[in-house]
Amino acid sequence: MTYTVHQLAELANISVRTLHYYDEIGLLRPAFLAPNGYRYYEENELILLQQILFFRELEFPLKVIKHMLGQKDYNIQEGLRQQKKLLKMKQNRTQKLIQTIDKTLKRMQKNQKMKDQELYDAFEDKDMKQYQDEVKERWGNSDAYTQSMKRVSKMTKKEMEKLKAKGIELTQKIAESMNKGIADPEVQFLIKKHHEGINFFYECGYDMYKNLGSLYVNDKRFGDYYEKFAPGLATFMKDAIDYYCSNHTQK
C-alpha cells in the first residue's frame, strides 16, 4: 500500500513536520515524488520508519540512527532483535523504579525497613547503557565512523595494503601468544599495539575499545575473522582487551 505524508504521519502517530525533517536530513526518504511534488511512502519506508521510532524510543540520537541505518550491512531483523533486548532492559528498569516507589512509600509510613542505598539502586542502568553502546558500535558510531572514513580517504592503496599487512602480523603474534594467558606482559603489549591501531582510524577510548572487544565474540563476522588465525582467538582477544581496559580505567 502507498501512503501520502499525511496518511503515514497519522498511521505512525507522528507529525507531518517530523517526516519532512527526516527527509531533509536524509534519514527517511519517500519512495517517490509525484509530479505535483507530493511525497509517497511504501513498504520499505514503513519498516524503516518503525526502526527509527524504536531507536528514538530507546533515546538514540538521530545522527547515530542515520549512520546505523545507512550501513550497507545493516540487517533489519537483527536490529529488531537488538531493539527487543533493549526494550526488555528498559521494561525491567521501569519495574524496578516502580518497586522502589512502593518501598519508599512504605518506608515513609514506617511499615518497612529500607536501606539508604535501596533508595537509588533502581536508577542505575549500566547494563542497558553498555548494550546501547554495543549496538552503536556494531552499526557505526557516528563520530568514529566519520573519523575513520576521513582518514581512510586520505590513504593511498599502497598505504592501505601496508597497514592491512601490519594488522595481520599483529594478530598472528597475539594468536601465537595465547598459551601465555591474557595477563602476560607480552600479550598486554600486543593488545596495546592493537588499541593504538584502532586509534589510528578514530578516537577509541577504553570503554569503546572494551565494547569493540565484545563484538569479537558477539558478531559472527569478527569471530570468523579471528578464528581463522587460531581456534578460540576471538574469545582470547575479548578477555585480553577486558583485562587491558580494566587496568587502565582503574588508574
Side-chain angles (χ1 to χ4, degrees):
M1 185 173 177
T2 301
Y3 291 86
T4 66
V5 67
H6 287 86
Q7 289 171 333
L8 181 56
E10 184 177 355
L11 180 71
N13 296 307
I14 58 177
S15 68
V16 170
R17 176 59 195 142
T18 296
L19 287 173
H20 285 174
Y21 181 65
Y22 288 172
D23 186 8
E24 289 170 14
I25 65 175
L27 179 59
L28 180 69
R29 302 288 194 191
F32 62 91
L33 293 177
N36 58 9
Y38 286 4
R39 298 171 172 87
Y40 285 90
Y41 299 83
E42 296 182 334
E43 176 69 11
N44 287 341
E45 290 70 45
L46 265 65
I47 297 297
L48 194 58
L49 176 59
Q50 187 198 56
Q51 285 286 289
I52 294 167
L53 296 180
F54 272 136
F55 278 125
R56 289 298 289 150
E57 184 68 26
L58 292 163
E59 301 177 5
F60 281 70
L62 288 177
K63 187 181 292 186
V64 173
I65 297 172
K66 181 180 177 182
H67 275 291
M68 290 193 297
L69 298 183
Q71 302 305 300
K72 291 181 180 179
D73 63 341
Y74 183 80
N75 184 290
I76 290 178
Q77 291 187 23
E78 184 178 345
L80 285 167
R81 284 190 286 269
Q82 291 172 332
Q83 289 161 348
K84 181 179 178 180
K85 183 173 180 177
L86 282 168
L87 286 167
K88 283 188 173 181
M89 288 180 174
K90 188 174 183 180
Q91 182 183 42
N92 291 338
R93 182 168 183 261
T94 300
Q95 186 59 40
K96 287 179 181 178
L97 288 168
I98 293 171
Q99 291 171 353
T100 299
I101 290 173
D102 290 339
K103 286 182 179 179
T104 305
L105 286 170
K106 289 181 179 179
R107 168 177 164 146
M108 294 177 71
Q109 295 164 1
K110 299 182 179 179
N111 293 330
Q112 179 176 313
K113 290 184 178 181
M114 183 183 188
K115 295 179 181 178
D116 291 345
Q117 182 61 49
E118 290 182 88
L119 289 167
Y120 310 106
D121 283 343
F123 292 99
E124 184 179 14
D125 60 346
K126 183 170 61 177
D127 291 341
M128 183 172 177
K129 184 178 184 303
Q130 181 177 345
Y131 192 71
Q132 283 178 325
D133 290 341
E134 289 176 11
V135 172
K136 292 175 187 176
E137 188 65 36
R138 166 66 179 88
W139 298 116
N141 177 277
S142 58
D143 292 337
Y145 180 79
T146 302
Q147 290 177 30
S148 178
M149 291 300 100
K150 187 179 293 185
R151 293 180 185 180
V152 168
S153 66
K154 295 179 181 178
M155 297 178 68
T156 65
K157 183 178 179 181
K158 188 174 182 180
E159 288 173 332
M160 281 296 297
E161 289 175 351
K162 184 178 179 181
L163 192 64
K164 182 179 179 181
K166 286 179 66 176
I168 291 174
E169 182 183 0
L170 178 61
T171 304
Q172 287 174 334
K173 287 182 179 179
I174 295 173
E176 292 166 1
S177 304
M178 287 174 64
N179 63 319
K180 297 179 180 179
I182 61 171
D184 182 81
E186 182 180 339
V187 171
Q188 285 300 300
F189 174 78
L190 294 172
I191 293 298
K192 180 175 181 291
K193 289 295 182 183
H194 182 266
H195 187 205
E196 290 172 353
I198 301 296
N199 270 296
F200 174 81
F201 290 100
Y202 57 86
E203 294 177 14
C204 182
Y206 295 114
D207 287 341
M208 183 182 288
Y209 188 45
K210 186 174 181 179
N211 289 335
L212 181 62
S214 295
L215 288 179
Y216 294 167
V217 294
N218 294 328
D219 188 305
K220 189 175 184 298
R221 295 174 309 152
F222 283 108
D224 289 347
Y225 173 78
Y226 284 109
E227 293 301 302
K228 287 190 296 184
F229 289 88
L233 180 58
T235 300
F236 182 84
M237 287 285 295
K238 177 196 177 299
D239 293 342
I241 289 172
D242 284 350
Y243 184 85
Y244 169 82
C245 291
S246 64
N247 282 340
H248 283 80
T249 53
Q250 288 173 3
K251 293 180 179 180

